[in-house]
Amino acid sequence: MSTCTVFENVRLIDPASGLDKPGRLLVRDGVIVGHDLPDAEGKPKGAEVVDGQGAVLCPGLVDMRVEIGEPGHEYRETVKSASRAAFAGGVTTVAVLPTGSPPIDDPAMVRMLRFRGEEPDYVSILPYGALTKGCQGAELAEIGLLSEAGAVAFTDGNRAIASARQMKLALTYAQAFDALVVQHPEEPTLAGGCATEGELALRLGLPGIPTAAEAIMIARDIRLVEMTGGRLHFGHVSTGEGVELIRQAKARGIRVTCDTAPQYFDLNETAIGDFRTYAKFSPPLRRENDRLAICAALADGTIDAIASDHAPRDPDDKRLPFAQASAGGTGLATLLGVTLTRYHDGTLSLSDALALLTCRPAALLGVSGAAARSGARPIGILAAGAPADLCLFDPDRAWQVIAGELPGHAQNTPFDGRALEGKVMGTWKNGRRVFGGAA
Amino acid sequence: MAEASSGGSRFFGPSDRHLLGIQGMHPSRIEPILDLAESYALLSRSRKTPRDLLRGRTLINLFFEDSTRTRTSFELAGKRLGADVVNMSVAQSSVNKGETLLDTAATLNAMRTDLLVVRHSQSGAPALLAQKVDAAVINAGDGTHEHPTQALLDALTIRRHLGRLEGLTVAICGDIVHSRVARSNIHLLTSMANKVRLVGPPTLVPRSMASLGVEVHHSMETGLRDVDVVMMLRLQKERMSGGLIPSAREYFRYYGLDQRRLDLAKPGALVMHPGPMNRGVEIASQIADSDQSVIREQVEMGVAVRMAVLDRLSRGGRS
């Protein structure tokens, strides 16, 4: 039996098409029918009506950098618990890093993750394939076979490809499959510490990582992209020097892109004061001038996407002396709220902020409307024919992040106690409501 | 003569002394060799080769690198023409300095060698020897530079089957960047007005190879479309351990020659391979053993071509 849902009294924002207007959206059988339909078509008899009360209806968010506990670390999080966190944050699609246990370097593992994400109650999963076997940085993984199985891009997660030769080979080989290579931009021999090198790390007695570790790796890899003609994306850039190198490279027409994560434009290194391990990240939180540079790079389009960098950790991973604690924080549930801080302070328009969370990451991963590979479902857009993955949120409704009360299993948020404006009212996957009660 | 200024010293030398490579060789010098080889192929089949042609001449197979096939082929060619053939296998470690190679040349001169067939892991080693020895030097494969007799035997095989050696489209597939066979074939085929496509993963076929006057393809599906000849190359195991490709299974999946891909070529397209083959890595067994495969004939033509080359060089250009 055919099912219809009409979203009315909503502000439709679709950054992919530039749409931003009050209106109504019709969904039939899990697929978007359209938003500019005459009454006769736009509100069929018997359709379920969702009154948005003036809230924003946009494409479900696409989070391009997420760790989940499966496979191998189910005690941290499962696909099921990660889905709860994602849906509460308006996220309907996650790109999952390949650094589980075992690593995702075999086509069967890619298919397994894809299938998990096709279950109705779970967030859609776009698996990354390992760039090198076992994410060990030594030998190329089977980029072709992994692509065919559904891997959307290739990375070793938070392990930088240390060898310039290996990165050159990866960028060269990946071109046969038009595969995107994603690098953790941190020169590993300089990244042995746990906080940004400087006065704070010195006072706390923590081994430092110079900000130049990021710039050195970015500079090297830009040169390798120039040499090979490959396509490279830098994950979670965090320094002013790093984004400046990327800005210049883009101006020269070099095929590099980057994302950042909320902690790098909302927090600075002082968040680790008192050895607060929930604020320990890789790369580490930076100084205020770097945070401001990241905000500027978001505003001028140098940064292509915002990813949550969701890294669930068990309390036992974090209740350790700072240097020994695991790096990473949860981010799915807070992704939209923290991103909207840059809308509320005037850095980004609402549409631009949402573009960084929807169509732009989808395009990078080859699954947006225009860029969707053959057979892939186009996501990150409100176009007719696209799956009805939707997020309804009130950009002005305030809420407070409280670690321990977040949806999902993992609670290691660096934003504990933070007041945010921008609350998700409802999330739909394939037209089916997966989060929120009455709007 | 055209070739005298454009590389005549490479083939049959200024005084037609050596065969060091195909690059720079004029087509007018290639066809007569193939004609002569054709006649030697027929004579070999009827066991009527002129065994007195090289009587009293000494041929040394000087192999600094193992190669049973090529060495045997030259040995047979020399013996069928009546030469005294000596095989010298030289451990690589003892000749890894240029000085030692020149010492070897001095030794060979003292032995009054007439024909010297040289295989070496370093590009240019036969050329260096050619400057220092009195014998005619034949390059039997040097590093990643050239393997001229392989290109000549491939050309002869193509000509015998397709009736011509111009206006064809030939796909050379696999590890091109490290292949001396590919380089010699590129030079020969392009100089004779054929279109050459190189097909393989970007790590083994960089785009820059287009500067050799060929098309570069990273997809077998586009590279093999409507070609007259498919030349497969052997994938060296060290290419995998060196990280240039991830695995044999991925290589075969995207760059292996199977029936589906061969069907993209012209009907009856020739399938060639310099051997030895990795069945199931670069070529499916079914294709290697099919009617379209001329791989065994390449081996036969190899002996004939080498006889023709030995014949020409032994005459010192006085043919």
Side-chain angles (χ1 to χ4, degrees):
Chain A
M1 201 178 79
S2 177
T3 60
C4 277
T5 308
V6 179
F7 296 84
E8 53 179 32
N9 192 19
V10 291
R11 177 180 169 188
L12 294 164
I13 299 184
D14 178 29
S17 62
L19 175 74
D20 183 354
K21 66 170 192 181
R24 182 169 67 192
L25 184 89
L26 175 63
V27 170
R28 181 178 290 127
D29 296 334
V31 175
I32 295 171
V33 177
H35 55 77
D36 257 338
L37 304 169
D39 268 4
E41 290 174 44
K43 200 172 174 183
K45 264 190 181 170
E48 181 197 359
V49 175
V50 176
D51 180 359
Q53 300 173 23
V56 171
L57 186 67
C58 69
L61 310 190
V62 180
D63 188 343
M64 69 178 294
R65 192 178 182 88
V66 169
E67 272 184 42
I68 51 175
E70 290 187 38
H73 298 290
E74 286 81 358
Y75 67 96
R76 289 178 174 170
E77 198 176 63
T78 60
V79 173
K80 186 176 179 179
S81 68
S83 297
R84 285 205 304 275
F87 291 149
V91 176
T92 50
T93 303
V94 293
V96 171
L97 293 175
T99 43
S101 180
I104 311 300
D105 63 359
D106 188 276
M109 298 293 295
V110 172
R111 290 195 186 93
M112 182 275 288
L113 276 176
R114 280 247 178 205
F115 289 149
R116 295 304 307 275
E118 285 172 12
E119 294 183 39
D121 290 336
Y122 294 165
V123 67
S124 296
I125 293 175
L126 302 174
Y128 281 100
L131 184 59
T132 64
K133 286 174 188 158
C135 296
Q136 294 297 311
E139 292 175 80
L140 286 178
E142 293 172 322
I143 290 172
L145 295 172
L146 292 166
S147 279
E148 213 170 297
V152 286
F154 296 85
T155 182
D156 281 357
N158 275 12
R159 289 181 190 152
I161 302 294
S163 153
R165 177 183 180 271
Q166 193 61 47
M167 183 52 103
K168 174 176 175 266
L169 286 179
L171 288 166
T172 303
Y173 187 77
Q175 287 176 67
F177 306 96
D178 194 27
L180 179 69
V181 174
V182 178
Q183 169 75 305
H184 172 75
E186 207 171 34
E187 208 297 312
T189 60
L190 293 174
C194 59
T196 294
E197 192 171 275
E199 189 184 334
L200 182 71
L202 200 66
R203 284 179 191 280
L204 293 173
L206 296 174
I209 301 173
T211 52
E214 180 170 295
I216 288 167
M217 192 55 105
I218 289 175
R220 182 200 80 174
D221 285 352
I222 285 172
R223 189 70 190 83
L224 290 172
V225 172
E226 257 184 310
M227 189 193 301
T228 59
R231 211 153 56 90
L232 182 63
H233 179 87
F234 295 107
H236 49 204
V237 292
S238 61
T239 66
E241 213 181 333
V243 288
E244 180 55 28
L245 286 164
I246 293 166
R247 185 179 287 122
Q248 290 170 11
K250 284 183 164 189
R252 297 208 307 277
I254 299 167
R255 298 204 300 171
V256 290
T257 51
C258 66
D259 67 72
T260 193
Q263 61 267 23
Y264 300 113
F265 59 78
D266 196 66
L267 301 173
N268 66 23
E269 63 176 352
T270 59
I272 68 165
D274 298 331
F275 303 100
R276 195 161 160 259
T277 57
Y278 274 18
K280 180 180 177 183
F281 286 93
S282 173
L285 295 179
R286 304 300 191 181
R287 284 189 287 273
E288 181 62 7
N289 60 337
D290 285 314
R291 187 188 74 81
L292 292 172
I294 295 298
C295 291
L298 284 170
D300 71 13
T302 300
I303 292 175
D304 299 88
I306 295 173
S308 72
D309 218 2
H310 180 79
R313 294 290 181 267
D314 184 72
D316 289 346
D317 295 326
K318 287 288 190 182
R319 281 188 200 130
L320 290 166
F322 192 89
Q324 294 168 359
S326 183
T330 62
L332 281 164
T334 52
L335 174 63
L336 179 64
V338 182
T339 299
L340 290 178
T341 58
R342 299 286 78 85
Y343 156 64
H344 289 295
D345 74 3
T347 304
L348 297 170
S349 71
L350 193 50
S351 182
D352 286 347
L354 291 175
L356 291 160
L357 298 169
T358 57
C359 58
R360 292 179 73 181
L364 286 168
L365 299 171
V367 292
S368 70
R373 294 158 204 219
S374 61
R377 59 201 282 274
I379 59 170
I381 55 171
L382 284 188
D389 291 354
L390 303 167
C391 169
L392 181 72
F393 70 96
D394 181 343
D396 299 318
R397 191 177 294 189
W399 64 291
Q400 189 176 20
V401 182
I402 300 174
E405 295 181 7
L406 289 173
H409 187 59
Q411 298 294 321
N412 53 307
T413 173
F415 300 106
D416 187 23
R418 182 86 157 78
L420 296 173
E421 280 179 287
K423 182 127 181 69
V424 176
M425 320 298 296
T427 306
W428 286 259
K429 180 189 169 187
N430 290 327
R432 183 170 156 266
R433 190 163 199 154
V434 287
F435 174 75
Chain B
M1 290 194 304
E3 65 274 24
S5 58
S6 64
S9 62
R10 301 172 54 77
F11 185 73
F12 300 155
S15 55
D16 286 359
R17 286 188 56 218
H18 308 295
L19 172 58
L20 300 176
I22 299 289
Q23 188 178 15
M25 209 166 139
H26 196 273
S28 64
R29 301 306 293 256
I30 294 172
E31 294 278 11
I33 293 292
L34 300 183
D35 294 341
L36 188 56
E38 180 87 49
S39 65
Y40 276 126
L42 297 174
L43 289 171
S44 288
R45 282 185 184 181
S46 61
R47 302 185 187 282
K48 289 179 181 168
T49 54
R51 292 195 176 260
D52 56 345
L53 191 79
L54 296 185
R55 183 169 297 155
R57 306 286 183 101
T58 308
L59 183 158
I60 295 187
N61 274 326
L62 182 62
F63 276 56
F64 295 91
E65 216 182 51
D66 290 338
S67 170
T68 308
R69 285 170 169 248
T70 305
R71 199 207 63 215
T72 307
S73 183
F74 271 107
E75 187 175 349
L76 274 176
K79 285 181 172 169
R80 281 183 190 171
L81 295 176
D84 297 325
V85 181
V86 178
N87 292 318
M88 279 178 69
S89 291
V90 188
Q92 187 62 58
S93 58
S94 69
V95 289
N96 57 5
K97 291 179 182 173
E99 199 176 357
T100 313
L101 191 62
L102 297 183
D103 286 346
T104 307
T107 305
L108 293 166
N109 276 341
M111 292 175 176
R112 305 210 171 275
T113 310
D114 299 295
L115 294 152
L116 190 58
V117 176
V118 181
R119 166 159 293 191
H120 201 283
S121 64
Q122 297 296 315
S123 302
L128 179 63
L129 270 179
Q131 293 169 15
K132 301 292 176 186
V133 295
D134 299 328
V137 174
I138 302 161
N139 179 2
D142 62 331
T144 57
H145 173 227
E146 284 229 38
H147 192 350
T149 55
Q150 179 72 42
L152 290 166
L153 75 89
D154 288 341
L156 179 59
T157 309
I158 293 170
R159 198 179 73 169
R160 282 167 61 91
H161 278 268
L162 300 182
R164 67 187 202 276
L165 200 53
E166 68 280 316
L168 301 170
T169 305
V170 180
I172 308 177
C173 309
D175 181 3
I176 313 285
V177 75
H178 301 100
S179 172
R180 51 198 174 207
V181 172
R183 276 177 184 70
S184 286
N185 267 305
I186 290 167
H187 298 317
L188 189 151
L189 292 166
T190 54
S191 78
M192 300 193 81
N194 298 286
K195 283 185 188 161
V196 176
R197 295 183 193 162
L198 308 181
V199 191
T203 41
L204 300 180
V205 190
R207 290 259 172 222
S208 58
M209 295 204 81
S211 64
L212 297 175
V214 297
E215 285 178 26
V216 172
H217 292 259
H218 298 316
S219 151
M220 291 286 270
E221 281 66 28
T222 61
L224 294 194
R225 199 166 294 279
D226 298 326
V227 298
D228 299 283
V229 180
V230 184
M231 278 187 185
M232 301 305 295
L233 297 175
R234 176 179 172 77
L235 183 73
Q236 308 286 335
K237 285 207 169 63
E238 61 265 27
R239 304 302 171 224
M240 274 180 270
S241 58
L244 296 174
I245 56 164
S247 65
R249 74 171 177 175
E250 172 145 323
Y251 186 81
F252 186 70
R253 172 71 184 78
Y254 297 103
Y255 298 102
L257 185 65
D258 57 14
Q259 190 63 55
R260 186 175 53 88
R261 295 204 169 110
L262 184 55
D263 287 344
L264 297 169
K266 281 188 185 160
L270 300 186
V271 174
M272 307 179 78
H273 193 300
M277 290 178 280
N278 290 307
R279 289 168 184 258
V281 176
E282 69 259 358
I283 190 165
S285 261
Q286 169 199 7
I287 303 300
D289 301 330
S290 73
D291 292 344
Q292 284 176 260
S293 164
V294 293
I295 295 168
R296 263 173 278 177
E297 188 173 331
Q298 286 174 270
V299 178
E300 184 187 357
M301 291 308 116
V303 179
V305 156
R306 283 154 188 148
M307 289 171 78
V309 168
L310 294 176
D311 177 347
R312 290 296 300 270
L313 291 180
S314 68
R315 296 173 195 217
R318 294 184 300 274
S319 62

